[in-house]
Every structure is written in structure tokens, then in C-alpha cells.
Amino acid sequence: KPGEQKHPKEPSSLQCMHLAVVACGDRLEETLIMLKSAVLFSNRRLCFHIFAEDSLKPEFEKKLKEWPSSYTKKFESSIYPITFSVGNAQEWKKLFKPCAAQRLFLPVILKDVDSLLYVDTDVLFLRPIDDIWHLLQEFNSTQLAAMAPEHEIPKIGWYSRFARHPYYGTTGLNSGVMLMNLTRIRSAQFKNSMIPGGLTWEEMLYPLYQKYKNYITWGDQDLLNIIFYFNPECLYVFPCQWNYRPDHCMYGSNCRGAEEEGVSILHGNRGVYHDDKQPTFKALYEVIRDFPFEDNLFQSLYYPLQSKFLDTVHTLCGRIPQVFLKQIEKTMKKVYENRVIVYLGANHRY
């Protein structure tokens, strides 16, 4: 069975890249824009696993069906209710943000899924998911999850200044983009601060929460930091351009990977898509939201972005537009070149 393989093999082109998201409250539109960015730029087939409150389920189904068939054929979607397998469901549901703790239970719920990319609703893909999916092949034999650091600079990082619990590394981890080998997570024994021996993932979650609940600020992200503090060999750390947040530019540019390669995944935390504090992030969100599916990517996405960015140069993030545009430009060139090759090839045959 694929769910029992011990080492991830390169999936065939027929298999899915699994993407999970948890949406509660007013996160319907944000989640749909995230899924849209995934479909716009990815090459291989996607499987969406959407965990949502019951009231949102019909809305998701309706909106996804409205997308043109040229895009709906690129993915399949499953919508699940919010469920917690251990402990008090109401307590988990209220932890930090509504339903955010659901992500901790993905290895338990999605028993037949081997590997998975989890993202927060406020994430936008600026290049194919295929590229982060390939990082699964870079895991060594003990690694079972991948995340980016919470900060690049310890002296201004949150964890290094304020955390009252153990956390990973020098600046902690941000869990908004998390690549997981679920097969390995399900079979691993995790070291912990509660018993001398190891615990399985599911056995560990509730006791861990009970032990640290009075010390954690960021809910499930803090619990993940505690887990990987005790099990650092289990984590693959990917660089900041795969989880690029306002913190990476609002105090001055501090994500070297993004300066060199461009932003790969944008994470608009702090609600920046919906206020005017970081207009560069808001511009990207609005342009992807408003992009008509069947239109030309250069005309209806890239050029509007460039002109919107001109209005953001008064901010520190707005002074480095190339960081936000580099990967989009690269991805669009590839799409364009592929279409030209297909077109020329088709003409050549007649």
C-alpha cells in the first residue's frame, strides 16, 4: 500500500500533490484565492484537502465548480468537517485562531495520504507547488517535516525575546507553510518532556498541550516548536523565500534567499491582505483575486502588479518589487515557452 511505504519515492505524474488547508470563520475568500494561486502556477495534478466548518462546505463546493474546466481538471478536492481525535474538541477549536489546531491532527485523519503540504489560508503561491514538493526528496532518513524559521535575526525575533517554552533553534519555526511526510510521522516515536520513552504523534498531542497551555501564545505553532525542540533531527528547515512574511521586509530586507531567487510562497499574516499597512502584500492578493482565469497571465496579472507596485514605494517592502516579481516572471515565461513549443509543434505536423 502506498500509505505504508517507509521512504518517499518520486511520485509519478499521475499521482497528486496533496495540499491541505483549514478554513473557519470569514476565511472563505482568502482560502479560494490561495487555491487559485496553486492551480494557476502548478504543473502536476493537485489534491486539495479542505477542512472547514459545516456552514462553509456548500460555499466551497459552489465556488470551486464555477472555475473553468481548463482549471478544474487540474485538481480534485475533498472537504472535511473539523474534528479532533484526542482531548477536548472545544478546547482545541479555540486554541489561538479558530480551528488552527486542526493541522496537528492531519496525520491521524488523512491515513491514506503519504505526504502533504499544509498552508495557512493567507498564503499565496508565486511559483509551482511542484518545486516545494520536490523538497520531500531531500529529506534524510530521520526527517519527517519541513518548515521555515520564524525569523532570520534573533535579536528582533519573537521566540528569542518572549517565548516561555522550548522552541526550535535560535528563532523558532513558523508553521504557516509545513511540508509533511505523514507516513513517517505516523510511525515515529517522539522524544518529549513528559515520559522517558517515546510517544506517537497522536499520544503526544494532548498531554503536550496540557503541560504547556499556560505558556503558549501562538497555539499549535508553539506546540510544533516544542515537538521539534525535543526532536530536531526530525526537521528539515527550508529557507525564508518559501514562507515570506511582512517581517522579512517591513524593518528592512532580511531574507537573503528572496533577494537572490525571489519570493516563492507569500504569507500575508497579520491580516495584511485586508488593511493598508503593507500595500505590496495587498496588491499581490488583489491581482490574483481579480485575475480572470482564461486571460493572458502577462497582460492581466503581471502588468497590473507592476503598476500597483508603483504605489507602494513609500514602504520598505515596496522598495524591493523585484523580490516579489522574480518568481512570477520566471513561472510565466515557462508557461509561455511551453505553449509556444506546443503550438509550433502542432503547426509543424500539418
Side-chain angles (χ1 to χ4, degrees):
K1 288 181 186 174
E4 290 170 1
Q5 66 189 50
K6 289 289 176 277
H7 299 283
K9 295 183 173 66
E10 175 64 11
S12 77
S13 57
L14 296 171
Q15 287 179 307
C16 270
M17 297 182 292
H18 294 271
L19 178 66
V21 65
V22 180
C24 284
D26 58 358
R27 297 301 179 107
L28 176 78
E29 183 195 77
E30 212 173 66
T31 308
L32 287 165
I33 308 308
M34 179 276 289
L35 297 173
K36 183 179 184 181
S37 73
V39 172
L40 280 180
F41 293 131
S42 291
N43 302 314
R44 216 165 59 214
R45 188 169 176 75
L46 292 158
C47 281
F48 296 150
H49 301 274
I50 303 164
F51 290 81
E53 287 175 307
D54 295 343
S55 57
L56 294 179
K57 185 181 177 183
E59 283 296 303
F60 272 115
E61 287 170 345
K62 176 173 170 278
K63 296 286 185 191
L64 290 171
K65 277 181 189 149
E66 287 169 4
W67 290 4
S69 60
S70 56
Y71 286 92
T72 55
K73 70 183 182 191
K74 289 175 72 176
F75 70 89
E76 57 189 70
S77 59
S78 305
I79 303 172
Y80 308 82
I82 303 293
T83 50
F84 304 98
S85 62
V86 291
N88 180 324
Q90 284 310 109
E91 216 172 354
W92 282 121
K93 198 167 179 181
K94 289 175 188 157
L95 184 63
F96 185 45
K97 282 182 185 163
C99 311
Q102 180 70 75
R103 95 181 84 187
L104 297 172
F105 294 87
L106 297 179
V108 182
I109 298 166
L110 300 174
K111 286 184 168 44
D112 297 327
V113 176
D114 175 59
S115 295
L116 178 84
L117 177 64
Y118 164 87
V119 294
D120 284 348
T121 58
D122 52 9
V123 153
L124 291 169
F125 293 95
L126 305 187
R127 70 189 281 184
I129 289 187
D130 311 57
D131 298 337
I132 191 169
W133 194 256
H134 284 311
L135 295 182
L136 286 163
Q137 313 312 314
E138 294 186 19
F139 284 17
N140 67 24
S141 60
T142 62
Q143 289 165 339
L144 44 75
M147 285 182 272
E150 171 66 21
H151 219 286
E152 305 309 300
I153 304 163
K155 67 179 181 192
I156 55 173
W158 193 91
Y159 283 103
S160 38
R161 290 184 298 159
F162 304 117
R164 297 185 296 148
H165 58 77
Y167 58 89
Y168 179 90
T170 53
T171 59
L173 299 162
N174 183 282
S175 59
V177 179
M178 186 175 177
L179 191 60
M180 294 184 264
N181 182 321
L182 300 182
T183 303
R184 288 186 179 182
I185 290 173
R186 284 187 286 263
S187 61
Q189 292 283 319
F190 292 89
K191 298 188 289 291
N192 59 85
S193 57
M194 295 163 295
I195 64 162
L199 288 169
T200 67
W201 185 266
E202 191 176 16
E203 286 168 345
M204 173 175 59
L205 289 178
Y206 195 60
L208 195 71
Y209 167 65
Q210 287 297 323
K211 178 167 182 176
Y212 290 104
K213 66 180 179 182
N214 295 327
Y215 303 99
I216 58 178
T217 305
W218 309 113
D220 51 310
Q221 176 172 292
D222 290 346
L223 292 177
L224 289 165
N225 266 284
I226 295 164
I227 290 168
F228 290 108
Y229 168 84
F230 289 106
N231 300 272
E233 73 287 352
C234 294
L235 190 76
Y236 177 102
V237 179
F238 50 68
C240 46
Q241 65 265 31
W242 292 104
N243 185 348
Y244 190 90
R245 283 157 277 127
D247 290 39
H248 289 121
C249 55
M250 62 195 272
Y251 310 113
S253 184
N254 62 35
C255 175
R256 188 170 296 159
E259 287 168 19
E260 291 166 4
E261 289 182 29
V263 174
S264 296
I265 296 179
L266 192 76
H267 184 182
N269 63 345
R270 304 172 181 265
V272 292
Y273 297 148
H274 313 293
D275 62 28
D276 297 314
K277 287 179 183 160
Q278 296 300 333
T280 322
F281 282 74
K282 190 179 184 182
L284 269 154
Y285 179 79
E286 289 178 347
V287 166
I288 292 173
R289 180 193 67 195
D290 298 341
F291 172 71
F293 271 105
E294 305 283 21
D295 270 23
N296 177 297
L297 279 166
F298 270 107
Q299 276 175 330
S300 303
L301 194 141
Y302 190 69
Y303 295 136
L305 255 185
Q306 282 187 312
S307 60
K308 271 183 183 260
F309 278 178
L310 293 174
D311 299 331
T312 74
V313 291
H314 61 287
T315 66
L316 283 172
C317 295
R319 286 180 200 168
I320 47 169
Q322 72 286 356
V323 165
F324 296 92
L325 291 169
K326 200 177 278 188
Q327 278 299 335
I328 294 184
E329 196 175 336
K330 201 170 156 185
T331 302
M332 284 194 288
K333 276 185 177 155
K334 267 190 196 160
V335 169
Y336 179 71
E337 281 162 12
N338 289 345
R339 280 185 191 159
V340 168
I341 291 163
V342 168
Y343 179 73
L344 288 175
N347 279 355
H348 188 66
R349 284 200 295 274
Y350 296 108

